[in-house]
Amino acid sequence: DPPNDGISSIAFSPAALAPKNFLVAGTWDNEVRCWEIQASGQTTAVGMIKHDGPVLAVAWSQDGQAIFSGGCDKTAKMWSPSTNQSVPVAQHDAPIRHLFYTDQLTPGAATLVTGSWDKTIKYWDIRAPTGTPMGQVPLPERLYAMDTRGPLLVAATAERHILVYDIRKPTTPFKQKPSQLKYQIRCVATFPDQTGFAVGSVEGRVSLDYVQPNDESRQFAFKCHRENDTIYAVNAIKFHDGFGTFATAGSDGGISFWDKESKQRLHKFPVAVPQPITSATFNHDGSIFGYAVSYDWSKGAENHNPATAKNYILLHGVKETEIKPKKPAPKR
């Protein structure tokens, strides 16, 4: 069955569970659900747990044995689908907006990173949860977007602050800067090679930023998810690990694949879905692109029609021709 309320976050299972693919989703009706995706594209329900408030973020452990979820009840849970047991592992003073698993804090240590509207990032030891974080980092404002890959962690907050961290030195930002974009940040995604990150905002625009100062000349921003004079939010950016290209999805219901090196669009889905896309992601090998369709309240309550506001997740089989960088045309 599809979710009963708005879908805030989806995540595919890691390569450790290959060749199987599982998808987990967090929703506004306080639920975390998991499905197994068959080779035919059909799905089988694996299980579900509940929070005491809307779920805003979901993530997997590296070995695929645990699912993490957090949201408006200010609590993060660790759920083992194989036993259907869940335990609280993290706590904040305001809703948890994003969370990720990492083993980079100390070598081999299983750590959960949580970011909250309470203006903090916290690090939690999930091997023996104590209710007390291993460390805590203050943020200048509420956390709106976060992503991590290897030792690179990028956090984006209200008032357009961007903070870049080396997780191995978690208490001090490696870099802090204002966003290239002029309006509220909706999403952040780290490059597969960890040299930089992409940022999406409510203004139908994406920026590409680099970590090292000597790469900053390569930074740029571009417009997308616009239709005539109507501008839509960019709600999701995800990179394809194999090719280093990336997908954007927005409140317009549209999806495009892009190549940042050649600064060109590779593929645009020919038909937009009739509602906003709230979350999107590739599976572990980039062969499946999943995206969640729900009303995102970007046009307020007056434009919410419960009769037409359906919530569902679609799966797209990715063709290499859609996502692989195109070779530049030979110069004459």
Coordinates of all heavy atoms in Angstrom, one line a residue, residues 136-229:
Q136 N 28.7 17.5 20.0 CA 27.7 18.4 19.6 C 28.3 19.6 19.0 O 29.3 20.1 19.5 CB 26.8 18.8 20.8 CG 25.7 19.7 20.5 CD 24.8 19.9 21.6 OE1 24.4 19.0 22.3 NE2 24.4 21.2 21.9
V137 N 27.8 20.0 17.8 CA 28.3 21.2 17.1 C 27.2 22.2 17.0 O 26.1 22.0 16.5 CB 28.8 20.8 15.7 CG1 29.3 22.0 15.0 CG2 29.8 19.6 15.8
P138 N 27.5 23.5 17.4 CA 26.4 24.5 17.3 C 26.4 25.0 15.9 O 27.4 25.1 15.2 CB 26.9 25.6 18.2 CG 28.4 25.4 18.3 CD 28.7 24.0 18.2
L139 N 25.2 25.4 15.4 CA 25.0 25.9 14.1 C 24.5 27.4 14.2 O 23.9 27.7 15.2 CB 23.9 25.1 13.3 CG 24.3 23.7 13.0 CD1 23.1 22.9 12.4 CD2 25.5 23.6 12.0
P140 N 24.7 28.2 13.2 CA 24.3 29.6 13.3 C 22.8 29.7 13.2 O 22.2 30.8 13.6 CB 24.9 30.3 12.1 CG 25.3 29.2 11.2 CD 25.5 28.0 12.0
E141 N 22.1 28.7 12.7 CA 20.6 28.8 12.5 C 20.1 27.4 12.4 O 20.8 26.4 12.6 CB 20.3 29.6 11.2 CG 19.7 31.0 11.5 CD 18.3 30.9 12.1 OE1 17.7 29.8 12.3 OE2 17.8 32.0 12.4
R142 N 18.8 27.3 12.2 CA 18.1 26.0 12.1 C 18.6 25.2 10.9 O 18.8 25.8 9.8 CB 16.6 26.1 12.0 CG 15.9 26.7 13.2 CD 14.6 27.5 12.8 NE 15.0 28.7 12.1 CZ 14.2 29.5 11.4 NH1 12.9 29.1 11.2 NH2 14.6 30.6 10.8
L143 N 18.8 23.9 11.1 CA 19.3 23.1 9.9 C 18.2 22.8 9.0 O 17.1 22.3 9.4 CB 19.9 21.7 10.5 CG 20.5 20.9 9.3 CD1 22.0 21.0 9.3 CD2 20.0 19.4 9.4
Y144 N 18.4 23.1 7.7 CA 17.4 22.8 6.6 C 17.8 21.7 5.7 O 17.0 21.0 5.2 CB 17.2 24.1 5.8 CG 16.3 25.1 6.4 CD1 16.1 26.4 5.8 CD2 15.6 24.9 7.6 CE1 15.3 27.4 6.4 CE2 14.8 25.9 8.2 CZ 14.6 27.1 7.6 OH 13.8 28.0 8.1
A145 N 19.1 21.5 5.5 CA 19.6 20.5 4.6 C 21.0 20.0 5.0 O 21.8 20.7 5.6 CB 19.7 21.0 3.2
M146 N 21.2 18.7 4.8 CA 22.5 18.1 5.2 C 22.8 16.9 4.3 O 21.9 16.2 3.9 CB 22.5 17.7 6.7 CG 23.8 17.2 7.2 SD 23.8 17.1 9.0 CE 22.8 15.6 9.3
D147 N 24.1 16.7 4.0 CA 24.5 15.5 3.3 C 25.9 15.1 3.8 O 26.7 16.0 4.2 CB 24.5 15.6 1.8 CG 24.6 14.3 1.1 OD1 24.2 13.2 1.7 OD2 24.9 14.3 -0.1
T148 N 26.3 13.8 3.7 CA 27.6 13.4 4.1 C 28.0 12.3 3.2 O 27.2 11.5 2.7 CB 27.6 12.9 5.6 OG1 28.9 12.5 5.9 CG2 26.7 11.7 5.8
R149 N 29.3 12.3 2.9 CA 29.9 11.2 2.0 C 31.4 11.1 2.4 O 32.1 12.1 2.4 CB 29.8 11.6 0.6 CG 30.1 10.5 -0.4 CD 30.1 11.0 -1.8 NE 28.8 11.4 -2.3 CZ 28.0 10.7 -3.0 NH1 28.3 9.5 -3.4 NH2 26.8 11.2 -3.4
G150 N 31.8 9.9 2.9 CA 33.2 9.8 3.4 C 33.4 10.8 4.6 O 32.5 10.9 5.4
P151 N 34.5 11.5 4.7 CA 34.7 12.4 5.8 C 34.0 13.8 5.5 O 34.0 14.6 6.4 CB 36.2 12.6 5.8 CG 36.6 12.3 4.4 CD 35.7 11.3 3.9
L152 N 33.4 14.0 4.4 CA 32.8 15.3 4.0 C 31.4 15.4 4.5 O 30.6 14.5 4.2 CB 32.8 15.5 2.5 CG 32.1 16.8 2.0 CD1 32.8 18.1 2.5 CD2 32.1 16.8 0.5
L153 N 31.1 16.4 5.3 CA 29.7 16.7 5.8 C 29.4 18.2 5.4 O 30.2 19.0 5.7 CB 29.5 16.5 7.3 CG 28.1 16.6 7.8 CD1 27.9 15.7 9.0 CD2 27.8 18.0 8.3
V154 N 28.3 18.4 4.8 CA 27.8 19.7 4.4 C 26.5 20.0 5.1 O 25.6 19.2 4.9 CB 27.7 19.9 2.9 CG1 27.3 21.3 2.5 CG2 29.1 19.6 2.2
A155 N 26.4 21.1 5.8 CA 25.1 21.5 6.4 C 24.7 22.8 5.9 O 25.5 23.7 5.8 CB 25.3 21.5 7.9
A156 N 23.4 23.0 5.6 CA 22.9 24.3 5.2 C 21.7 24.6 6.1 O 20.9 23.8 6.5 CB 22.3 24.2 3.8
T157 N 21.7 25.9 6.5 CA 20.8 26.3 7.6 C 19.9 27.5 7.0 O 20.1 28.0 5.9 CB 21.5 26.8 8.8 OG1 22.1 28.1 8.6 CG2 22.6 25.9 9.3
A158 N 18.9 27.9 7.9 CA 18.2 29.1 7.6 C 19.1 30.3 7.5 O 20.3 30.2 7.9 CB 17.2 29.4 8.8
E159 N 18.7 31.3 6.8 CA 19.5 32.5 6.5 C 20.7 32.2 5.6 O 21.7 32.9 5.6 CB 20.0 33.2 7.8 CG 18.9 33.5 8.8 CD 17.9 34.5 8.2 OE1 18.2 35.3 7.4 OE2 16.7 34.4 8.7
R160 N 20.6 31.1 4.8 CA 21.5 30.8 3.7 C 23.0 30.5 4.2 O 23.9 30.7 3.4 CB 21.5 32.0 2.7 CG 20.2 32.2 2.1 CD 20.1 33.5 1.2 NE 21.3 33.6 0.4 CZ 22.2 34.6 0.5 NH1 22.1 35.4 1.5 NH2 23.2 34.6 -0.3
H161 N 23.2 30.0 5.4 CA 24.5 29.7 5.9 C 24.8 28.3 5.3 O 24.0 27.4 5.4 CB 24.6 29.6 7.4 CG 24.3 30.9 8.0 ND1 25.2 32.0 8.0 CD2 23.2 31.4 8.7 CE1 24.7 33.0 8.7 NE2 23.5 32.7 9.1
I162 N 26.1 28.1 4.9 CA 26.6 26.8 4.5 C 27.8 26.5 5.3 O 28.7 27.3 5.3 CB 26.9 26.7 3.0 CG1 25.6 26.8 2.2 CG2 27.6 25.4 2.7 CD1 25.8 26.8 0.7
L163 N 27.9 25.3 6.0 CA 29.0 24.9 6.8 C 29.5 23.6 6.2 O 28.8 22.6 6.0 CB 28.7 24.8 8.2 CG 28.1 26.1 8.9 CD1 26.6 26.1 8.9 CD2 28.7 26.3 10.3
V164 N 30.9 23.5 6.0 CA 31.5 22.3 5.5 C 32.4 21.8 6.6 O 33.2 22.5 7.2 CB 32.4 22.6 4.3 CG1 33.0 21.4 3.8 CG2 31.5 23.2 3.2
Y165 N 32.2 20.5 6.9 CA 33.0 19.8 8.0 C 33.8 18.6 7.5 O 33.4 18.0 6.5 CB 32.1 19.3 9.1 CG 31.3 20.4 9.8 CD1 30.0 20.8 9.4 CD2 31.8 20.9 11.0 CE1 29.3 21.8 10.0 CE2 31.1 21.9 11.7 CZ 29.8 22.3 11.2 OH 29.1 23.3 11.9
D166 N 34.9 18.4 8.1 CA 35.6 17.1 8.0 C 35.2 16.4 9.2 O 35.5 16.7 10.4 CB 37.1 17.4 8.0 CG 37.9 16.1 7.9 OD1 37.4 15.0 8.2 OD2 39.1 16.1 7.4
I167 N 34.4 15.3 9.0 CA 33.9 14.5 10.2 C 34.9 14.0 11.1 O 34.7 13.9 12.3 CB 33.0 13.3 9.6 CG1 31.8 13.9 9.0 CG2 32.6 12.4 10.8 CD1 30.9 12.8 8.4
R168 N 36.2 13.9 10.6 CA 37.2 13.4 11.5 C 37.7 14.5 12.5 O 38.3 14.2 13.5 CB 38.4 12.9 10.7 CG 38.1 11.7 9.8 CD 39.1 11.5 8.7 NE 39.2 12.6 7.8 CZ 39.8 12.6 6.6 NH1 40.5 11.5 6.3 NH2 39.8 13.7 5.8
K169 N 37.3 15.8 12.2 CA 37.5 16.9 13.1 C 36.1 17.6 13.3 O 35.9 18.7 12.8 CB 38.5 17.9 12.5 CG 39.9 17.2 12.2 CD 40.8 18.1 11.4 CE 42.1 17.4 11.0 NZ 42.9 18.2 10.1
P170 N 35.2 17.0 14.0 CA 33.8 17.3 13.8 C 33.4 18.6 14.5 O 32.3 19.1 14.2 CB 33.1 16.1 14.5 CG 34.0 15.6 15.5 CD 35.4 15.8 14.9
T171 N 34.2 19.2 15.4 CA 33.7 20.3 16.2 C 33.9 21.7 15.5 O 33.3 22.6 15.9 CB 34.3 20.3 17.6 OG1 35.8 20.3 17.4 CG2 33.9 19.1 18.4
T172 N 34.8 21.7 14.5 CA 35.1 23.0 13.9 C 34.9 22.9 12.4 O 35.3 22.0 11.7 CB 36.6 23.3 14.1 OG1 36.9 23.2 15.5 CG2 36.9 24.7 13.6
P173 N 34.1 23.9 11.9 CA 33.9 23.9 10.4 C 35.2 24.1 9.6 O 36.0 24.9 10.0 CB 32.9 25.1 10.2 CG 32.4 25.4 11.5 CD 33.4 25.0 12.5
F174 N 35.3 23.3 8.6 CA 36.5 23.5 7.7 C 36.3 24.8 6.9 O 37.2 25.5 6.5 CB 36.6 22.3 6.7 CG 37.6 22.4 5.7 CD1 39.0 22.2 5.9 CD2 37.3 22.8 4.4 CE1 39.9 22.3 4.9 CE2 38.2 22.9 3.4 CZ 39.6 22.7 3.7
K175 N 35.0 25.0 6.6 CA 34.7 26.3 5.8 C 33.2 26.7 6.2 O 32.4 25.8 6.4 CB 34.8 26.0 4.3 CG 34.3 27.1 3.4 CD 34.2 26.7 2.0 CE 35.6 26.7 1.3 NZ 35.5 26.5 -0.2
Q176 N 33.0 28.0 6.3 CA 31.7 28.5 6.4 C 31.5 29.6 5.4 O 32.4 30.5 5.3 CB 31.5 29.0 7.9 CG 30.1 29.5 8.1 CD 29.8 29.8 9.6 OE1 30.6 29.4 10.5 NE2 28.7 30.4 9.9
K177 N 30.4 29.7 4.7 CA 30.2 30.7 3.7 C 28.7 30.9 3.5 O 27.9 30.0 3.8 CB 30.8 30.2 2.4 CG 30.3 28.8 1.9 CD 30.9 28.4 0.6 CE 30.1 29.0 -0.6 NZ 30.5 28.5 -1.9
P178 N 28.3 32.0 2.9 CA 26.9 32.2 2.5 C 26.7 31.4 1.2 O 27.6 31.3 0.4 CB 26.8 33.7 2.3 CG 28.2 34.1 1.9 CD 29.1 33.2 2.7
S179 N 25.4 31.0 1.0 CA 25.1 30.3 -0.2 C 25.2 31.2 -1.4 O 25.0 32.5 -1.4 CB 23.6 29.8 -0.1 OG 23.2 29.3 -1.4
Q180 N 25.6 30.7 -2.6 CA 25.5 31.4 -3.9 C 24.1 31.8 -4.2 O 23.9 32.8 -4.9 CB 26.0 30.5 -5.0 CG 27.5 30.2 -5.0 CD 27.8 29.5 -6.4 OE1 27.6 30.0 -7.4 NE2 28.3 28.3 -6.3
L181 N 23.1 31.1 -3.7 CA 21.7 31.3 -4.0 C 21.1 32.3 -3.0 O 21.4 32.4 -1.9 CB 20.9 30.0 -3.9 CG 21.6 28.8 -4.7 CD1 20.8 27.6 -4.6 CD2 21.7 29.2 -6.2
K182 N 20.1 33.1 -3.5 CA 19.7 34.3 -2.8 C 18.5 33.9 -1.9 O 18.1 34.7 -1.0 CB 19.2 35.4 -3.7 CG 20.4 36.0 -4.6 CD 19.9 37.1 -5.4 CE 21.0 37.8 -6.2 NZ 21.7 36.9 -7.1
Y183 N 17.9 32.7 -2.0 CA 16.7 32.4 -1.3 C 16.9 31.1 -0.5 O 17.9 30.4 -0.6 CB 15.5 32.3 -2.2 CG 15.2 33.6 -2.8 CD1 15.7 34.0 -4.1 CD2 14.4 34.6 -2.2 CE1 15.4 35.2 -4.7 CE2 14.1 35.8 -2.7 CZ 14.6 36.1 -4.0 OH 14.3 37.3 -4.6
Q184 N 15.8 30.7 0.2 CA 15.9 29.6 1.2 C 16.4 28.3 0.5 O 16.0 27.9 -0.5 CB 14.5 29.3 1.8 CG 14.5 28.2 2.8 CD 13.1 28.0 3.3 OE1 12.4 28.9 3.6 NE2 12.7 26.7 3.4
I185 N 17.3 27.6 1.2 CA 17.9 26.4 0.7 C 17.0 25.2 1.1 O 16.4 25.1 2.2 CB 19.3 26.1 1.4 CG1 20.3 27.2 1.0 CG2 19.8 24.7 1.1 CD1 21.6 27.2 1.8
R186 N 16.8 24.3 0.1 CA 15.9 23.2 0.3 C 16.7 21.8 0.3 O 16.2 20.9 1.0 CB 14.9 23.1 -0.9 CG 13.8 24.1 -0.9 CD 13.0 24.2 0.4 NE 12.2 23.0 0.6 CZ 10.9 22.9 0.2 NH1 10.4 23.9 -0.4 NH2 10.2 21.8 0.4
C187 N 17.8 21.7 -0.3 CA 18.5 20.5 -0.4 C 20.0 20.7 -0.7 O 20.4 21.7 -1.2 CB 17.9 19.5 -1.4 SG 17.7 20.3 -3.1
V188 N 20.8 19.7 -0.2 CA 22.2 19.7 -0.5 C 22.6 18.3 -0.8 O 22.1 17.3 -0.3 CB 23.0 20.1 0.8 CG1 24.5 19.8 0.7 CG2 22.8 21.6 1.1
A189 N 23.6 18.1 -1.8 CA 24.1 16.8 -2.1 C 25.6 16.9 -2.4 O 26.1 17.7 -3.2 CB 23.4 16.3 -3.4
T190 N 26.4 16.0 -1.8 CA 27.8 15.9 -2.0 C 28.2 15.2 -3.3 O 27.6 14.3 -3.7 CB 28.5 15.2 -0.8 OG1 27.8 14.0 -0.6 CG2 28.4 16.1 0.5
F191 N 29.3 15.7 -3.9 CA 29.8 15.1 -5.1 C 30.3 13.7 -4.7 O 30.9 13.5 -3.6 CB 31.0 15.8 -5.7 CG 30.7 17.2 -6.2 CD1 31.7 18.1 -6.6 CD2 29.4 17.7 -6.2 CE1 31.4 19.4 -7.0 CE2 29.1 19.0 -6.7 CZ 30.1 19.8 -7.1
P192 N 30.2 12.7 -5.6 CA 30.8 11.4 -5.4 C 32.3 11.4 -5.1 O 32.8 10.6 -4.3 CB 30.5 10.6 -6.7 CG 29.3 11.2 -7.2 CD 29.4 12.7 -6.9
D193 N 33.1 12.3 -5.7 CA 34.5 12.4 -5.4 C 34.8 13.3 -4.2 O 36.0 13.5 -3.9 CB 35.3 12.9 -6.6 CG 34.9 14.3 -7.0 OD1 34.1 15.0 -6.3 OD2 35.4 14.8 -8.1
Q194 N 33.8 13.8 -3.5 CA 33.9 14.6 -2.3 C 34.7 15.9 -2.4 O 35.1 16.5 -1.5 CB 34.6 13.7 -1.2 CG 33.9 12.4 -0.9 CD 34.7 11.5 -0.1 OE1 35.6 11.9 0.8 NE2 34.5 10.2 -0.3
T195 N 34.8 16.4 -3.7 CA 35.4 17.7 -3.9 C 34.5 18.9 -3.7 O 34.9 20.0 -3.7 CB 36.1 17.8 -5.3 OG1 35.0 17.6 -6.3 CG2 37.1 16.7 -5.5
G196 N 33.2 18.6 -3.6 CA 32.2 19.7 -3.6 C 30.8 19.2 -3.3 O 30.6 18.1 -2.9
F197 N 29.9 20.1 -3.6 CA 28.5 19.8 -3.3 C 27.6 20.7 -4.1 O 27.9 21.8 -4.6 CB 28.2 20.0 -1.8 CG 28.6 21.3 -1.3 CD1 27.7 22.4 -1.2 CD2 29.9 21.5 -0.8 CE1 28.1 23.6 -0.7 CE2 30.3 22.8 -0.3 CZ 29.4 23.8 -0.3
A198 N 26.3 20.2 -4.3 CA 25.3 21.0 -5.0 C 24.3 21.4 -4.0 O 24.0 20.7 -3.0 CB 24.7 20.1 -6.1
V199 N 23.7 22.6 -4.3 CA 22.7 23.2 -3.4 C 21.5 23.6 -4.2 O 21.6 24.2 -5.3 CB 23.2 24.4 -2.7 CG1 22.2 25.0 -1.7 CG2 24.5 24.1 -1.9
G200 N 20.3 23.2 -3.7 CA 19.0 23.6 -4.4 C 18.2 24.5 -3.5 O 18.2 24.3 -2.3
S201 N 17.5 25.4 -4.1 CA 16.7 26.4 -3.3 C 15.3 26.5 -3.8 O 14.9 25.9 -4.8 CB 17.4 27.7 -3.4 OG 17.1 28.4 -4.6
V202 N 14.5 27.3 -3.1 CA 13.1 27.5 -3.4 C 13.0 28.4 -4.7 O 11.9 28.5 -5.3 CB 12.3 28.2 -2.3 CG1 12.3 27.4 -1.1 CG2 12.9 29.6 -2.0
E203 N 14.0 29.0 -5.2 CA 14.0 29.9 -6.3 C 14.2 29.2 -7.7 O 14.4 29.9 -8.7 CB 15.0 31.0 -6.2 CG 16.4 30.5 -6.2 CD 17.5 31.6 -6.0 OE1 17.5 32.5 -6.8 OE2 18.3 31.4 -5.0
G204 N 14.1 27.9 -7.7 CA 14.3 27.2 -9.0 C 15.7 27.4 -9.5 O 15.9 27.7 -10.7
R205 N 16.6 27.1 -8.6 CA 18.0 27.3 -9.0 C 18.9 26.4 -8.2 O 18.6 26.0 -7.1 CB 18.5 28.8 -8.7 CG 19.8 29.2 -9.3 CD 20.1 30.7 -8.9 NE 19.2 31.7 -9.4 CZ 19.5 32.4 -10.5 NH1 20.6 32.2 -11.1 NH2 18.6 33.3 -10.9
V206 N 20.0 25.9 -8.9 CA 21.0 25.0 -8.3 C 22.4 25.6 -8.4 O 22.7 26.2 -9.4 CB 21.0 23.6 -9.0 CG1 22.1 22.8 -8.5 CG2 19.7 22.9 -8.7
S207 N 23.2 25.5 -7.3 CA 24.6 26.0 -7.3 C 25.5 24.8 -7.2 O 25.1 23.8 -6.5 CB 24.8 27.0 -6.3 OG 24.8 26.4 -5.0
L208 N 26.6 24.8 -7.8 CA 27.7 23.9 -7.6 C 28.9 24.5 -6.9 O 29.4 25.5 -7.4 CB 28.1 23.3 -9.0 CG 27.2 22.3 -9.7 CD1 27.1 21.0 -8.9 CD2 25.9 22.9 -10.1
D209 N 29.2 24.0 -5.8 CA 30.2 24.6 -4.9 C 31.4 23.6 -4.7 O 31.2 22.4 -4.6 CB 29.6 25.0 -3.6 CG 28.6 26.1 -3.7 OD1 27.4 25.7 -4.1 OD2 28.9 27.2 -3.4
Y210 N 32.6 24.1 -4.6 CA 33.8 23.3 -4.3 C 34.3 23.6 -2.9 O 34.3 24.7 -2.4 CB 34.8 23.5 -5.4 CG 34.4 22.9 -6.7 CD1 33.5 23.6 -7.6 CD2 34.8 21.6 -7.1 CE1 33.1 23.0 -8.8 CE2 34.4 21.0 -8.3 CZ 33.6 21.7 -9.1 OH 33.2 21.1 -10.3
V211 N 35.0 22.6 -2.4 CA 35.5 22.6 -1.0 C 36.8 23.4 -0.9 O 36.9 24.3 -0.1 CB 35.6 21.2 -0.4 CG1 36.3 21.3 1.0 CG2 34.3 20.5 -0.3
Q212 N 37.7 23.1 -1.8 CA 39.0 23.7 -1.7 C 39.1 25.1 -2.4 O 38.5 25.2 -3.5 CB 40.1 22.8 -2.4 CG 40.2 21.4 -1.7 CD 40.7 21.6 -0.3 OE1 41.4 22.5 0.1 NE2 40.5 20.5 0.6
P213 N 39.8 26.0 -1.8 CA 39.8 27.4 -2.4 C 40.3 27.4 -3.9 O 39.8 28.2 -4.7 CB 40.8 28.1 -1.5 CG 40.7 27.4 -0.2 CD 40.5 25.9 -0.5
N214 N 41.3 26.5 -4.2 CA 41.8 26.6 -5.6 C 40.8 26.1 -6.6 O 41.1 26.2 -7.8 CB 43.1 25.9 -5.7 CG 43.0 24.4 -5.3 OD1 42.0 24.0 -4.7 ND2 44.1 23.7 -5.5
D215 N 39.7 25.5 -6.2 CA 38.7 25.0 -7.1 C 37.5 26.0 -7.2 O 36.6 25.8 -8.0 CB 38.1 23.7 -6.7 CG 39.1 22.5 -6.9 OD1 39.9 22.6 -7.8 OD2 39.0 21.5 -6.1
E216 N 37.5 27.1 -6.5 CA 36.3 27.9 -6.4 C 36.0 28.6 -7.7 O 34.9 29.1 -7.9 CB 36.5 28.9 -5.3 CG 36.4 28.3 -3.9 CD 36.5 29.3 -2.7 OE1 36.8 30.5 -3.0 OE2 36.3 28.9 -1.6
S217 N 37.0 28.7 -8.6 CA 36.8 29.4 -9.9 C 35.9 28.5 -10.7 O 35.3 29.0 -11.7 CB 38.1 29.6 -10.6 OG 38.8 28.4 -10.9
R218 N 35.7 27.3 -10.4 CA 34.8 26.4 -11.2 C 33.3 26.5 -10.7 O 32.5 25.8 -11.3 CB 35.3 24.9 -11.0 CG 36.7 24.7 -11.5 CD 37.3 23.4 -11.1 NE 36.5 22.3 -11.7 CZ 36.6 21.0 -11.4 NH1 37.5 20.6 -10.4 NH2 35.9 20.1 -12.0
Q219 N 33.1 27.2 -9.7 CA 31.7 27.3 -9.1 C 30.8 28.0 -10.1 O 31.2 28.9 -10.8 CB 31.7 28.0 -7.8 CG 32.5 27.2 -6.7 CD 32.5 27.8 -5.4 OE1 32.8 27.2 -4.4 NE2 32.1 29.1 -5.2
F220 N 29.5 27.6 -10.1 CA 28.5 28.2 -10.9 C 27.1 27.9 -10.4 O 27.0 27.0 -9.6 CB 28.7 27.8 -12.4 CG 28.3 26.4 -12.7 CD1 27.1 26.0 -13.2 CD2 29.3 25.4 -12.6 CE1 26.8 24.7 -13.5 CE2 29.0 24.1 -12.9 CZ 27.7 23.7 -13.3
A221 N 26.1 28.5 -10.9 CA 24.7 28.3 -10.6 C 23.9 28.3 -11.9 O 24.3 29.0 -12.8 CB 24.2 29.3 -9.6
F222 N 22.8 27.6 -11.9 CA 21.9 27.6 -13.0 C 20.5 27.5 -12.6 O 20.1 27.1 -11.6 CB 22.3 26.5 -14.0 CG 22.1 25.1 -13.5 CD1 20.9 24.4 -13.7 CD2 23.0 24.5 -12.7 CE1 20.7 23.1 -13.3 CE2 22.8 23.2 -12.2 CZ 21.6 22.5 -12.5
K223 N 19.6 28.0 -13.5 CA 18.2 28.0 -13.3 C 17.6 26.6 -13.8 O 18.0 26.1 -14.8 CB 17.5 29.1 -14.1 CG 17.9 30.5 -13.7 CD 17.3 31.5 -14.6 CE 17.8 32.9 -14.3 NZ 17.2 33.9 -15.2
C224 N 16.6 26.2 -13.1 CA 15.9 24.9 -13.5 C 14.5 24.9 -12.8 O 14.2 25.7 -11.9 CB 16.7 23.7 -13.1 SG 17.2 23.6 -11.4
H225 N 13.7 23.9 -13.2 CA 12.3 23.8 -12.6 C 11.6 25.1 -12.6 O 11.1 25.6 -11.6 CB 12.4 23.2 -11.2 CG 13.1 21.8 -11.2 ND1 12.4 20.7 -11.5 CD2 14.4 21.5 -10.9 CE1 13.2 19.7 -11.5 NE2 14.4 20.1 -11.1
R226 N 11.5 25.6 -13.8 CA 10.7 26.8 -14.1 C 9.9 26.6 -15.3 O 10.3 25.9 -16.2 CB 11.7 28.0 -14.3 CG 12.6 28.3 -13.1 CD 13.5 29.5 -13.4 NE 14.3 29.8 -12.2 CZ 14.7 31.0 -11.9 NH1 14.4 32.0 -12.7 NH2 15.4 31.3 -10.8
E227 N 8.7 27.2 -15.3 CA 7.8 27.1 -16.5 C 7.2 28.5 -16.8 O 6.5 29.0 -16.0 CB 6.7 26.1 -16.1 CG 5.8 25.8 -17.3 CD 4.8 24.8 -17.0 OE1 4.9 24.1 -16.0 OE2 3.8 24.7 -17.7
N228 N 7.7 29.1 -17.8 CA 7.3 30.5 -18.2 C 7.7 31.4 -17.0 O 8.9 31.4 -16.7 CB 5.8 30.5 -18.5 CG 5.5 29.7 -19.7 OD1 6.3 29.6 -20.7 ND2 4.3 29.1 -19.7
D229 N 6.8 32.0 -16.4 CA 7.1 32.9 -15.3 C 6.9 32.3 -13.9 O 7.1 33.0 -12.9 CB 6.2 34.2 -15.4 CG 6.5 35.0 -16.6 OD1 7.7 35.0 -17.1 OD2 5.6 35.7 -17.1

